[in-house]
């Protein structure tokens, strides 16, 4: 073995890194942590692509004067007080622990598993730096989004690339592609529907996070991928086309977003006589503010106010055994060919 000179920098043993990436979460529901988080999130050009000269005065002025208090109140309703963190953080940690346990059993100590957040902590750059320092010469990056969108997968990749620009010795990189139509993912969704419905429903709404309609015209494939997931889920359940529908939630700003809007569709269904409605959120790998508060708050209230009688929310796949089997299978597939 070649002997390094005494003054040579330490070179750690080579490892393969697996970095799971999720959207992010405020450190606390209090005003200033919420403001920092929202400012970072809403300043991302992938999320809001208006010119900075137009958008930033609005964001840093009236929006961030009011929105942190409102959003903080919503977070408090779902906050994991025991761990002092948001449910998204709790679930992402559980997913990471499950992947780490699987990786250790499969590859021993040759693999390092970590997670990072696009917004907030732990930041992608800080975790990447730690993994490189630990000897990760190969890196598998896994954005935890079943569907591709510029505002989710692309911005997670952007932040990783910005981190890599700081590294003197960049690891070899692979990125796990979206899995919106993978057979085992669809099967896991179908099983979650079966398990989540104690009784029959009139209609199941697949509620996906929305995007401005303009993004579809500009080439973002998200809308089409969402519809394909709904179609394949319906086929897996063996349901008629009238019993399942794609909708979109979380509209923000004055533009027209992908439609129909979930909050309006649940009211239409109730008014049309469909008094038993279920909602599932296939685009989220973890339950979060959009599912635990928005769907089970504003959207459920819209349904009830319009005369709906039974509203069922079917949780995300989270760190469930079937979901983790999907994620680890994708990881193993994308590690193929690397000597571990």
């Amino acid at each position: 073995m070649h002997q390094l000179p005494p003054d040579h920098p330490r070179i750690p043993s080579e490892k393969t890194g697996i970095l799971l990436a999720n959207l992010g979460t405020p450190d606390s529901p209090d005003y200033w942590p919420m403001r920092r988080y929202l400012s970072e999130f809403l300043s991302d050009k992938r999320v809001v692509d208006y010119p900075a000269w137009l958008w930033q005065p609005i964001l840093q002025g009236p929006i961030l004067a009011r929105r942190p208090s409102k959003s903080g109140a919503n977070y408090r309703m779902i906050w994991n007080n025991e761990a002092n963190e948001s449910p998204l953080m709790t679930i992402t940690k559980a997913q990471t622990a499950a992947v780490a346990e699987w990786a250790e059993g499969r590859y021993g100590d040759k693999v390092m598993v970590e997670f990072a957040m696009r917004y907030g902590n732990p930041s992608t750059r800080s975790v990447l730096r730690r993994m490189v320092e630990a000897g990760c010469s190969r890196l598998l990056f896994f954005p935890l989004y079943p569907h591709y969108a510029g505002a989710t997968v692309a911005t997670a990749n952007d932040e990783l690339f910005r981190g890599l620009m700081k590294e003197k010795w960049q690891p070899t990189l692979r990125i796990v592609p979206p899995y919106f139509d993978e057979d085992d993912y669809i099967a896991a969704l179908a099983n979650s529907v079966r398990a989540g419905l104690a009784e029959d429903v009139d209609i199941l709404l697949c509620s996906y996070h929305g995007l401005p309609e303009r993004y579809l015209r500009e080439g973002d494939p998200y809308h089409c991928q969402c519809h394909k997931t709904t179609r394949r889920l319906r086929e897996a359940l063996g349901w008629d086309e009238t019993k399942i529908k794609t909708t979109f939630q979380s509209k923000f700003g004055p533009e027209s977003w992908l439609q129909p809007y979930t909050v309006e569709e649940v009211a239409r269904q109730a008014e049309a006589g469909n008094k038993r409605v279920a909602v599932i959120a296939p685009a989220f790998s973890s339950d979060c503010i959009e599912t635990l508060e928005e769907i089970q708050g504003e959207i459920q209230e819209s349904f009830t106010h319009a005369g709906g009688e039974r509203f069922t929310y079917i949780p995300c796949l989270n760190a469930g055994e079937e979901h983790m089997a999907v994620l680890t299978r994708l990881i193993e597939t994308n590690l193929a060919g690397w000597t571990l």
Side-chain angles (χ1 to χ4, degrees), residues 3-166:
Q3 185 68 38
L4 295 175
D7 61 346
H8 195 284
R10 185 185 72 86
I11 299 178
S13 300
E14 281 195 326
K15 292 184 176 65
T16 295
I18 299 170
L19 179 53
L20 308 179
N22 215 325
L23 181 78
T25 169
D27 294 328
S28 140
D30 295 339
Y31 178 84
W32 287 108
M34 280 300 317
R35 184 180 176 115
R36 285 193 296 272
Y37 174 73
L38 290 171
S39 180
E40 183 182 9
F41 174 50
L42 296 174
S43 292
D44 185 350
K45 295 286 285 186
R46 292 279 194 180
V47 175
V48 181
D49 63 355
Y50 300 148
W53 64 265
L54 173 65
W55 174 239
Q56 282 299 320
I58 299 171
L59 174 62
Q60 301 300 329
I63 292 177
L64 290 181
R66 298 188 302 267
R67 194 173 179 91
S69 297
K70 180 180 179 181
S71 295
N74 291 337
Y75 267 100
R76 282 190 186 90
M77 289 190 285
I78 66 165
W79 200 252
N80 181 348
N81 291 309
E82 183 178 346
N84 192 26
E85 62 191 20
S86 74
L88 176 68
M89 179 67 77
T90 303
I91 295 165
T92 304
K93 285 180 177 178
Q95 292 170 331
T96 304
V99 171
E101 182 179 2
W102 166 84
E104 184 178 10
R106 181 74 174 80
Y107 304 111
D109 61 358
K110 297 179 181 179
V111 171
M112 179 179 182
V113 180
E114 296 284 348
F115 76 93
M117 298 296 185
R118 170 60 183 89
Y119 314 104
N121 297 306
S123 70
T124 303
R125 294 190 197 190
S126 67
V127 177
L128 173 64
R129 180 87 280 275
R130 185 166 71 248
M131 296 181 81
V132 171
E133 286 180 338
C136 292
S137 59
R138 295 172 297 270
L139 181 68
L140 181 66
F141 187 62
F142 195 164
L144 291 174
Y145 308 100
H147 307 77
Y148 178 94
T152 54
V153 173
T155 191
N157 293 343
D158 290 345
E159 191 66 10
L160 175 68
F161 299 151
R162 280 189 283 267
L164 289 170
M165 289 172 66
K166 303 289 186 181

Side-chain angles (χ1 to χ4, degrees), residues 142 179 182-189 317 320-332:
F142 195 164
Y179 54 98
E182 294 282 338
D183 290 344
D184 50 0
Y185 165 66
I186 298 298
L189 282 180
L317 298 177
E321 186 175 336
E322 266 197 287
H323 192 210
M324 298 317 302
V326 174
L327 301 187
T328 53
R329 194 268 304 168
L330 288 166
I331 289 168
E332 186 166 30

